[in-house]
């Protein structure tokens, strides 16, 4: 007897390579953080050799050690910039740069990319403020909403110019990191999220739920999906499961659409999803100013514990670039 054919989602790279348990995800992040700390300290030792200054080395290592971010602080900073990503999506939406129906796809894919990126990298090497924009721009391409880099950057700089504060974004700030991001995503750019299946469920439910209630259910589902973007649910469950918010008066649909045995397996999943999203909603009640100040504090700590090998402003980075260019020049000269 042949085994049952896998569901469509189970055949995707997201299912095969980007699914975790809460425990395995926490262990992965802790291990990445530990390795990142080791790279920071090693980079500082190498940079001290560039200056040949032991006093500077001791001072810098002391500063870095006192400001090293924990895995929890890394996550907190990443989460803040995920929120900024969603805010940028609204900004682009108001500017009619992307079609409204495309924005949810772009937004969720950008968030997905950023979450995946930091399963293989740490903020010591790549601060999320930079990675965020590259993930967003890459998402526009993946979701068939590509725009020129000049048009993408212009609204960002318009905000800086209007507020007369902040740093303008250059095209290369985004483009120079594109391959780094794609490589970290293991060249797997298909991102599946709950928005698409939520609309499919909306259509399917029309035969089971009264229209006025169904419209309310669908609108509330979009809100729950928005909140789910800031959780790790996409690493635990399938997108259609996240789109099935159990607390939205859909029992009639579920009992008629699924067999009893399937519901026995499905309900615990939906209960967990509901709990995670409810916790996220409760946590988001925190004052936005407080969240921003906390992120700024972590950002300031990050400045003192950046890995100099990956920091374009460090002497070690500039020396390695110069050494590489010189080696390339010698190689090219020798082949003539």
């Amino acid at each position: 007897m042949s085994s049952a054919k896998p569901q469509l989602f189970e055949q995707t790279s997201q299912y095969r390579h980007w699914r975790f348990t809460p425990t395995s995800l926490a262990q992965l992040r802790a291990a990445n953080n530990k390795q990142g700390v080791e790279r920071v300290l090693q980079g500082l030792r190498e940079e001290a050799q560039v200056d040949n200054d032991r006093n500077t080395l001791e001072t810098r290592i002391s500063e870095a050690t006192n400001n090293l971010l924990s895995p929890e602080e890394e996550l907190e900073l990443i989460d803040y910039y995920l929120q900024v990503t969603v805010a940028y999506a609204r900004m682009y939406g108001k500017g009619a740069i992307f079609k409204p129906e495309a924005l949810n796809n772009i937004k969720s894919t950008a968030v997905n990319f950023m979450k995946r990126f930091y399963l293989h990298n740490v903020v010591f090497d790549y601060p999320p403020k930079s990675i965020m924009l590259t993930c967003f721009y890459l998402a526009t391409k993946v979701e068939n909403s590509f725009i020129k880099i000049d048009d993408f950057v212009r609204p960002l700089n318009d905000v800086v110019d209007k507020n007369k504060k902040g740093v303008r974004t250059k095209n290369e700030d985004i483009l120079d990191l594109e391959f780094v991001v794609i490589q970290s995503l293991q060249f797997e750019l298909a991102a599946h999220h709950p928005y698409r299946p939520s609309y499919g469920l909306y259509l399917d439910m029309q035969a089971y739920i009264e229209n006025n209630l169904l419209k309310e259910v669908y609108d509330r589902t979009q809100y729950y999906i928005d909140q789910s973007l800031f959780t790790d649910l996409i690493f635990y469950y399938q997108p259609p499961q996240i789109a099935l918010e159990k607390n939205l008066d859909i029992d009639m649909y579920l009992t008629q659409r699924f067999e009893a045995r399937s519901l026995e397996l499905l309900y615990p999943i939906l209960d967990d999803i509901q709990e995670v999203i409810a916790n996220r909603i409760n946590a988001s009640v925190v004052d936005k100013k407080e969240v921003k100040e906390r992120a700024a504090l972590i950002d300031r700590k990050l400045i003192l514990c950046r890995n100099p090998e990956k920091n374009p402003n460090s002497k070690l980075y500039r020396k390695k670039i110069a050494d590489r260019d010189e080696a390339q020049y010698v190689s090219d000269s020798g082949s003539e």
Side-chain angles (χ1 to χ4, degrees):
M1 180 182 296
S2 60
S3 59
K5 183 178 180 181
Q7 298 180 11
L8 287 176
F9 180 69
E10 293 175 353
Q11 301 176 50
T12 66
S13 60
Q14 182 167 317
Y15 182 87
R16 294 194 307 270
H17 303 144
W18 301 99
R19 278 171 60 85
F20 304 88
T21 65
T23 299
S24 65
L25 199 57
Q27 290 173 342
L28 177 60
R29 285 168 171 158
N32 285 345
N33 179 269
K34 182 179 179 180
Q35 293 168 7
V37 167
E38 293 171 353
R39 287 197 298 274
V40 169
L41 299 179
Q42 176 61 30
L44 290 173
R45 285 191 286 268
E46 290 185 27
E47 186 168 51
Q49 293 176 3
V50 175
D51 281 342
N52 194 26
D53 186 343
R54 184 165 185 80
N55 291 331
T56 300
L57 170 63
E58 292 177 353
T59 300
R60 288 288 291 113
I61 288 183
S62 176
E63 285 180 339
T65 302
N66 292 332
N67 289 278
L68 289 169
L69 305 186
S70 67
E72 293 75 22
E73 287 176 315
E74 279 200 84
L75 268 182
E76 191 175 347
L77 189 61
I78 293 166
D79 181 83
Y80 171 74
Y81 282 105
L82 291 178
Q83 295 179 59
V84 175
T85 299
V86 172
Y88 280 166
R90 290 194 292 267
M91 178 188 71
Y92 284 112
K94 291 179 181 178
I97 294 174
F98 301 110
K99 295 179 180 178
E101 59 271 19
L103 266 180
N104 274 346
N105 296 338
I106 296 170
K107 171 180 67 180
S108 56
T109 296
V111 167
N112 192 311
F113 284 172
M114 195 165 167
K115 283 178 170 290
R116 291 186 191 183
F117 179 86
Y118 284 108
L119 295 184
H120 294 286
N121 298 280
V122 289
V123 300
F124 305 120
D125 295 337
Y126 299 105
K129 189 174 183 179
S130 303
I131 294 299
M132 167 191 67
L133 292 175
T134 301
C135 286
F136 199 119
Y137 188 59
L138 185 60
T140 68
K141 300 179 182 181
V142 171
E143 294 298 338
N144 298 314
S145 299
F146 171 72
I147 61 173
K148 294 179 179 179
I149 186 64
D150 289 339
D151 296 330
F152 181 80
V153 167
R154 187 176 299 112
L156 303 174
N157 290 331
D158 286 346
V159 171
V160 173
D161 295 342
K162 179 180 178 181
N163 296 333
K164 296 182 179 179
K165 65 178 181 179
V167 179
R168 289 175 61 86
T169 300
K170 301 186 291 292
N171 293 358
E172 55 267 29
D173 293 338
I174 296 171
L175 299 179
D176 287 353
L177 287 169
E178 260 196 331
F179 184 74
V180 173
V181 170
I182 293 172
Q183 191 174 41
S184 295
L185 298 177
Q186 300 176 4
F187 301 94
E188 296 173 347
L189 303 182
H192 303 268
H193 47 75
Y195 289 107
R196 289 192 183 100
S198 75
Y199 185 67
L201 288 165
Y202 168 75
L203 297 177
D204 195 42
M205 287 180 184
Q206 290 179 356
Y208 302 89
I209 300 178
E210 190 269 326
N211 280 342
N212 289 337
L213 175 59
L214 182 57
K215 181 64 169 64
E216 179 185 346
V217 167
Y218 182 70
D219 290 342
R220 288 165 63 192
T221 297
Q222 302 310 294
Y223 171 71
Y224 279 108
I225 293 175
D226 287 344
Q227 297 303 310
S228 78
L229 296 179
F230 304 113
T231 73
D232 287 325
L233 286 173
I234 201 65
F235 292 132
Y236 306 154
Y237 299 117
Q238 300 186 23
Q241 294 169 337
I242 301 173
L244 263 176
E245 178 50 52
K246 181 186 173 187
N247 200 33
L248 297 180
D249 305 314
I250 59 172
D251 278 337
M252 180 188 303
Y253 168 74
L254 293 175
T255 54
Q256 294 187 52
R257 197 69 174 82
F258 296 93
E259 297 178 355
R261 175 57 182 159
S262 297
L263 288 178
E264 287 181 15
L265 300 174
L266 181 61
Y267 274 135
I269 292 174
L270 298 185
D271 286 340
D272 187 48
I273 291 171
Q274 180 178 320
E275 181 179 356
V276 171
I277 293 178
N279 289 339
R280 174 66 201 188
I281 292 173
N282 291 335
S284 66
V285 176
V286 178
D287 181 50
K288 290 183 178 180
K289 182 180 179 181
E290 181 181 334
V291 172
K292 189 173 183 178
E293 289 175 350
R294 173 65 181 165
L297 173 63
I298 299 176
D299 255 333
R300 288 195 293 272
K301 290 179 65 176
L302 180 58
I303 292 173
L304 297 173
C305 61
R306 282 284 306 274
N307 179 2
E309 187 176 9
K310 301 288 186 180
N311 184 358
N313 296 321
S314 76
K315 294 179 180 179
L316 178 62
Y317 181 92
R318 292 195 291 268
K319 180 180 185 303
K320 290 202 170 189
I321 292 295
D323 290 347
R324 186 193 65 187
D325 291 346
E326 182 179 352
Q328 182 64 45
Y329 173 78
V330 172
S331 176
D332 291 344
S333 299
S335 62
E336 292 178 357

